[in-house]
Amino acid sequence: MSSSSNVARPALGARDANAPVATVRPTSKLPVMSKLPKPQFKRPLAEDARGSAAKKTKIEAPSVKSGTGIPKGTVGVRKAMAPGNTTTVRKQPVRKPPEASTAPKKRPAWDLKGRLSDMEKMMEMRISTNNHLEHNLSENNQRVQMVEMLNERLKGTVAQKDHMLSENCQTINELQRKIRDLEDEAASVKRRHQCVTEDLESRNSTLEIKKKSLEGELEVSNQECIGLKCKIAQMTSARVGMETELSSIRGILEQAQQTCKHQEGVINGLNNTIVKHNSTIQELESNLQEAEAVRRKLHNTVQELKGNIRVFCRVRPLLPSEKDTCAEISHLHFNGIDGKTLEMDKVDENCPGQRKLSGGKYSFTFDQVFNPSSSQMRVFEEISQMVQSALDGYNVCIFAYGQTGSGKTYTMEGPVESNEETMGMIPRAVAQIFKCTQDLKANGWKYTMEASFLEIYNETIRDLLVNGEDKLKHDIKADAQVTNLTLVEVKSEKQVAKLLEKASCNRSVAATNCNEHSSRSHSVFRLKLTGSNDLTSEECEGTLNLVDLAGSERLTSSGSSGERLRETKNINKSLSNLGNVIMSLGNKESHIPYRNSKLTYLLQNSLGGNSKTLMFVNISPKEENFGESLCSLRFATKVNQCNIGTAQKKVK
Ligand code: ADP
Ligand code: MG
């Protein structure tokens, strides 16, 4: 160690030879100097100091033994050299020369003799002191020699110790280097250990998390296990049951197999029968096609027998708002058992509800009279055969005639928000057509359907299926086709429903006294049906016209004026012309005035010869509408009396 090199060593060599004291500070590492030679002095007595001063005191030189180096008998020095002690070579006390005990009295100047003796005495004293001092000096010289010798020995020891020290220093340096290496190694090991520890800790925490999740899973699995064990137990018992069942089923199976063998024989027999039946079916199918043709013929015959123009009367129910003024319908009677007669009490037209004319009744008979409780479905049942005729290739025309508010639009289209129960004749007719075309596919018939929807307002045709405002001019051609009219090929009932919605938005409505939303135009929904049969090579083309006529009320009751008056006049003109055309047809006149109004001109092919016509006369149940109802019923009766000829199937 570096500190060891700084060990304080006694600077013996540097000591003044005369120095009386030598101080040695041994360290624990120095060997103990146990024996040092002790100088032997013979101290001269003070009395013979002078005589013996010259004599040399014989000092026995101590023989230095190898090993210890210090002769026996040097106790004082040995003791002083003991470890931890400060070694002191003590100075022998200097013997002072004897001094005159009493100072001589001062002699008078004249006492020369006395003074001489005093001086002699003093002389003697001084000599003795001198001797004494000489003696002391020789002693000290001896001691110095002794100490120098000791110093030499100590130098040897110190050199030895220095050598040992340097060796030790080397060893220490070596050890320190090793320690540093070891410390470095320890630090790197520590670092590695720390890394490993951190790694292990992170792994440990991950494993802890995994452990927890696995514990959770284990818990769930245990629960599942318990559940599964229960299930297994249940299934085991079920299996036992099933095994018994299985064995019984096996028995049944064996029986069944036997039966099967037997049945196979039967099946073979039946297969032969099937082959026979198939040929019969083919025969029957061809018969069916023939029968379908016969059915069409017969159906038409029935229609003809019913008359080619038919009139149905429909009285709508009182609306909830109308029940406040009139709780029930008292002036209309639906007594006919056959549902074909309507009786109306005679009421003073000017004061309806006030005065019934005694005993008087108007009686009307039509092909069908529907009372207020008749449902849309019931009404359609009666017209569905005419729809069928359109599919068979006839032109069919169904009108709704009556005053505003009598239920024409309700009958033809249904209420604004209609459903299965309340939907009108147009959607029902379309539904039936779609159903029939599907059914007829089996007989080889394929149909295409084109729809158009127009209105005649003030003798002008307006397309109800255009998007936005209809700016095109529409004329009726000789074949009753309308120019610039939208024709939509329809493929589903939904599509038709959308067309009706669009048309009702486009349709002109205007408020009058009779009905806030009175229809002031005739609307014509036309469905052109073109069919072809690949099996029979037949083709047919029919048209179904469903017409919602404008209100038939007379001028006086609507209280119209100006533009409204013009509308009313046009409506009345076209309606009366419709009556005239029907009358002319009934009278088999040579000239039928189709061209007198747009409506009749448009329907020329659907009225008369090659068509089947049906008119609904819609009647309001309100007594206040007595006059209008009477007019409508009279008009319908006239129509009903017409025989407008036999319809011709249009076969291409
Ligand atoms: P029009 O078209 O002849 O002017 P609407 O068809 O608009 O008359 O009928 C007038 C009102 O009477 C409407 O509110 C309609 O819903 C209602 N209505 C008509 N017929 C019936 C009926 N058979 N059942 C229930 N309500 C009807
Ligand atoms: Mg209407």
Side-chain angles (χ1 to χ4, degrees), residues 314-319 322 371-372 374 376 402-411 414-416 507 515 517-519 548-549 551 618:
R314 186 179 197 189
V315 181
R316 72 158 169 85
L318 279 169
L319 303 176
E322 295 166 345
N371 65 32
S374 300
Q376 296 279 66
Q403 72 176 113
T404 299
S406 59
K408 299 184 295 295
T409 306
Y410 184 93
T411 301
V416 179
R507 196 167 177 196
N515 186 329
H517 298 289
S518 165
S519 301
D548 183 2
L549 294 169
N618 288 92

Side-chain angles (χ1 to χ4, degrees), residues 101-124:
S101 57
T102 49
K105 285 178 192 172
K106 200 170 180 182
R107 292 185 190 267
W110 50 267
D111 191 1
L112 291 172
K113 201 181 174 186
R115 283 167 69 183
L116 187 62
S117 87
D118 284 348
M119 283 175 75
E120 279 176 354
K121 278 181 190 171
M122 193 156 0
M123 194 70 175
E124 277 173 16

Side-chain angles (χ1 to χ4, degrees), residues 296 387-393 432-433 436-437 440 447 529 540:
R296 284 179 179 229
V387 176
Q388 181 64 50
S389 293
L391 271 174
D392 290 345
Q432 184 186 332
I433 286 166
C436 285
T437 51
L440 285 170
Y447 280 90
L529 304 156
C540 66

Side-chain angles (χ1 to χ4, degrees), residues 429-579:
V430 170
Q432 184 186 332
I433 286 166
F434 276 110
K435 190 179 173 299
C436 285
T437 51
Q438 277 304 111
D439 294 347
L440 285 170
K441 269 186 188 169
N443 291 339
W445 282 99
K446 279 183 199 159
Y447 280 90
T448 53
M449 285 163 263
E450 274 182 326
S452 64
F453 210 161
L454 60 84
E455 69 170 0
I456 302 169
Y457 175 73
N458 273 343
E459 287 299 285
T460 310
I461 290 175
R462 284 160 51 149
D463 189 350
L464 292 178
L465 298 184
V466 284
N467 295 319
E469 206 186 328
D470 181 17
K471 289 177 181 165
L472 296 171
K473 194 169 180 290
H474 305 283
D475 293 315
I476 303 164
K477 292 191 286 186
D479 60 351
Q481 297 302 312
V482 180
T483 57
N484 299 321
L485 191 69
T486 310
L487 287 173
V488 181
E489 188 179 345
V490 288
K491 290 186 172 161
S492 72
E493 289 173 48
K494 263 192 185 172
Q495 198 187 350
V496 175
K498 280 192 179 162
L499 292 181
L500 291 184
E501 225 173 88
K502 194 181 201 180
S504 92
C505 287
N506 287 338
R507 196 167 177 196
S508 295
V509 289
T512 70
N513 291 355
C514 293
N515 186 329
E516 207 186 341
H517 298 289
S518 165
S519 301
R520 309 303 297 158
S521 61
H522 311 295
S523 76
V524 182
F525 174 79
R526 181 176 274 181
L527 203 59
K528 192 174 157 195
L529 304 156
T530 312
S532 62
N533 192 327
D534 290 342
L535 300 177
T536 60
S537 305
E538 277 178 288
E539 284 186 339
C540 66
E541 192 181 283
T543 311
L544 177 66
N545 296 283
L546 296 154
V547 188
D548 183 2
L549 294 169
S552 63
E553 56 274 10
R554 289 164 295 176
L555 260 180
T556 44
S557 65
S558 68
S560 307
S561 60
E563 182 62 17
R564 291 286 170 271
L565 181 65
R566 198 163 79 89
E567 280 177 6
T568 313
K569 276 184 177 171
N570 276 324
I571 291 163
N572 286 347
K573 188 185 143 199
S574 62
L575 287 176
S576 60
N577 193 52
L578 176 66

Side-chain angles (χ1 to χ4, degrees), residues 343-413:
E343 282 184 347
M344 196 159 69
D345 292 333
K346 282 189 178 172
V347 176
D348 186 344
E349 262 192 72
N350 299 319
C351 308
Q354 299 285 312
R355 197 155 57 95
K356 280 186 185 172
L357 298 173
S358 55
K361 274 188 195 301
Y362 294 102
S363 185
F364 301 95
T365 303
F366 299 107
D367 292 293
Q368 192 73 45
V369 174
F370 297 106
N371 65 32
S373 60
S374 300
S375 66
Q376 296 279 66
M377 194 176 80
R378 170 79 190 89
V379 174
F380 185 72
E381 272 173 22
E382 291 299 322
I383 68 160
S384 69
Q385 288 183 342
M386 296 196 71
V387 176
Q388 181 64 50
S389 293
L391 271 174
D392 290 345
Y394 293 91
N395 287 340
V396 175
C397 198
I398 300 172
F399 294 102
Y401 178 94
Q403 72 176 113
T404 299
S406 59
K408 299 184 295 295
T409 306
Y410 184 93
T411 301
M412 297 309 273
E413 293 178 24

